[in-house]
Amino acid sequence: MAEQTVFLSDDVVARFLRYDDLIPRLEEVMGKFSQSDSSDVVQPVRSAIPIHNHNGFLGMMPAYIAYDDTLCMKVLAYYSRKENSSLPSLKATVLLFNPEYGTITAIMDGTDITLKRTAAVSAISAKLLMPAQSDVLCIIGCGDQAVSHYEIFTQLFSFKEVRVCSRRLETAERFAAGVPGPVKVFSSAKEAVHGADIIITLTTSSEPVLFGEWVKPGAHVAAVGACRPDWRELDDVLIRDAVIYVDSRDGAALESGDIILSGAEVFAELGEVLNGTRPAFRNKTTVFKSLGMGIQDAVSAKLVFDKWKSSQ
């Protein structure tokens, strides 16, 4: 008898998806992905089709994790919205399959999964690469991803100061008013990043918003925006002077404008650092270019479904 497909709304997903459960699963699967002889993880590079009439893209992110027998697909719609638009720029749906039969076990709203797994991977990059003494965190871009990144970074690390900056000052002020801890709001990205130990870029910009001459030597940058081959958040000076880490070499080579347009050489995947096969240079300026991976969505969805099922 075929199992019945369940739908898990975003509030249900958020209730069961916790960082302390998620982070070790992400570290495990990213390590497996970066093992050259591993058949435990199958993940093609994300495919995307343009939605010309509405200034958007539809991305498809399938993944199969053999060691956990998890088959998953995330469908991600991304739009470049007009300023002041009330419509979301990103909408995600996650399909969790029965890998034996190919039937759909669960359909999940992918909003919370996308926000939390992205922030968690950025935090993993910081755990591995940030300076030993990291007192100042700076977040550029104050949308939904900023909230999840603020949440996990302040949960895992202790900062003397948290700074934020956004394209519109009122957006940064609204963000600062909505989070529990003290936050300093800056109207200029240059001023905000001055002396910062960790810088997170979370923008929808297609042009650089962070410049190497502004960045403190030895700082760690987690660059999360600019997920298309002709978009950028970082300038050539920063890319040239930093040690570059990515989630996937193949993904970065096809999707990251910061890597492609600068001609930068990728030093390592984050999974290679987790495996101990490539070093983490805490004493140098480092950039982690995040693009997101289907395996990250897969372990998140499996975690949520298992917890939901055990609660029934």
Side-chain angles (χ1 to χ4, degrees), residues 103-169:
T103 53
I104 297 177
T105 302
I107 302 171
M108 305 183 193
D109 188 306
T111 303
D112 202 68
I113 287 174
T114 301
L115 292 174
K116 284 183 177 172
R117 63 82 154 149
T118 305
V121 173
S122 294
I124 292 168
S125 82
K127 184 171 69 169
L128 296 171
L129 301 170
M130 71 183 187
Q133 184 68 32
S134 293
D135 295 326
V136 180
L137 169 67
C138 178
I139 299 173
I140 301 176
C142 291
D144 291 338
Q145 278 285 2
V147 176
S148 57
H149 277 75
Y150 175 89
E151 181 181 43
I152 185 60
F153 271 75
T154 56
Q155 178 180 317
L156 289 185
F157 313 115
S158 296
F159 300 105
K160 293 180 180 178
E161 187 173 299
V162 178
R163 306 170 182 172
V164 297
C165 177
S166 194
R167 180 175 55 181
R168 300 174 64 220
L169 181 61

Side-chain angles (χ1 to χ4, degrees), residues 24-56:
R25 287 168 170 81
L26 289 170
E27 290 179 337
E28 179 182 23
V29 78
M30 292 172 70
K32 296 280 191 185
F33 175 82
S34 294
Q35 290 176 353
S36 59
D37 60 346
S38 175
S39 59
D40 284 333
V41 175
V42 180
Q43 178 196 268
V45 174
R46 171 172 43 209
S47 61
I49 59 172
I51 311 168
H52 295 299
N53 290 353
H54 304 287
N55 203 21

Side-chain angles (χ1 to χ4, degrees), residues 37-238:
D37 60 346
S38 175
S39 59
D40 284 333
V41 175
V42 180
Q43 178 196 268
V45 174
R46 171 172 43 209
S47 61
I49 59 172
I51 311 168
H52 295 299
N53 290 353
H54 304 287
N55 203 21
F57 294 89
L58 183 70
M60 288 148 283
M61 303 171 67
Y64 177 58
I65 302 172
Y67 68 83
D68 201 24
D69 205 24
T70 302
L71 181 62
C72 185
M73 160 83 88
K74 184 167 82 172
V75 181
L76 180 71
Y78 180 84
Y79 295 87
S80 296
R81 301 295 189 190
K82 294 180 180 178
E83 194 168 339
N84 298 323
S85 172
S86 61
L87 296 172
S89 60
L90 184 149
K91 187 64 180 175
T93 303
V94 177
L95 308 178
L96 189 64
F97 294 84
N98 179 315
E100 183 178 0
Y101 301 112
T103 53
I104 297 177
T105 302
I107 302 171
M108 305 183 193
D109 188 306
T111 303
D112 202 68
I113 287 174
T114 301
L115 292 174
K116 284 183 177 172
R117 63 82 154 149
T118 305
V121 173
S122 294
I124 292 168
S125 82
K127 184 171 69 169
L128 296 171
L129 301 170
M130 71 183 187
Q133 184 68 32
S134 293
D135 295 326
V136 180
L137 169 67
C138 178
I139 299 173
I140 301 176
C142 291
D144 291 338
Q145 278 285 2
V147 176
S148 57
H149 277 75
Y150 175 89
E151 181 181 43
I152 185 60
F153 271 75
T154 56
Q155 178 180 317
L156 289 185
F157 313 115
S158 296
F159 300 105
K160 293 180 180 178
E161 187 173 299
V162 178
R163 306 170 182 172
V164 297
C165 177
S166 194
R167 180 175 55 181
R168 300 174 64 220
L169 181 61
E170 54 266 39
T171 303
E173 291 173 338
R174 185 166 58 248
F175 170 85
V179 297
V183 173
K184 288 189 175 182
V185 176
F186 288 77
S187 58
S188 160
K190 181 179 181 179
E191 293 176 2
V193 303
H194 179 72
D197 301 293
I198 302 176
I199 304 165
I200 309 172
T201 56
L202 302 162
T203 76
T204 58
S205 178
S206 59
E207 300 292 335
V209 297
L210 183 63
F211 295 82
E213 62 180 295
W214 303 347
V215 176
K216 172 184 175 180
H220 175 58
V221 177
V224 180
C227 58
R228 297 295 300 160
D230 55 345
W231 296 356
R232 299 192 65 173
E233 285 189 310
L234 316 178
D235 79 329
D236 282 347
V237 173
L238 177 54

Side-chain angles (χ1 to χ4, degrees), residues 232-302:
R232 299 192 65 173
E233 285 189 310
L234 316 178
D235 79 329
D236 282 347
V237 173
L238 177 54
I239 289 287
R240 184 189 64 227
D241 293 346
V243 183
I244 309 299
Y245 298 81
V246 296
D247 43 19
S248 162
R249 292 177 186 270
D250 291 341
L254 289 176
E255 293 187 299
S256 172
D258 286 318
I259 303 296
I260 296 167
L261 299 177
S262 66
E265 180 179 345
V266 171
F267 176 72
E269 292 178 344
L270 214 56
E272 293 176 297
V273 181
L274 289 163
N275 291 337
T277 57
R278 294 292 253 175
F281 288 112
R282 288 185 180 273
N283 60 334
K284 296 184 178 182
T285 305
T286 54
V287 167
F288 169 58
K289 178 57 210 172
S290 171
L291 287 164
M293 305 169 75
I295 54 173
Q296 297 163 358
D297 301 306
V299 296
S300 302
K302 180 70 159 49

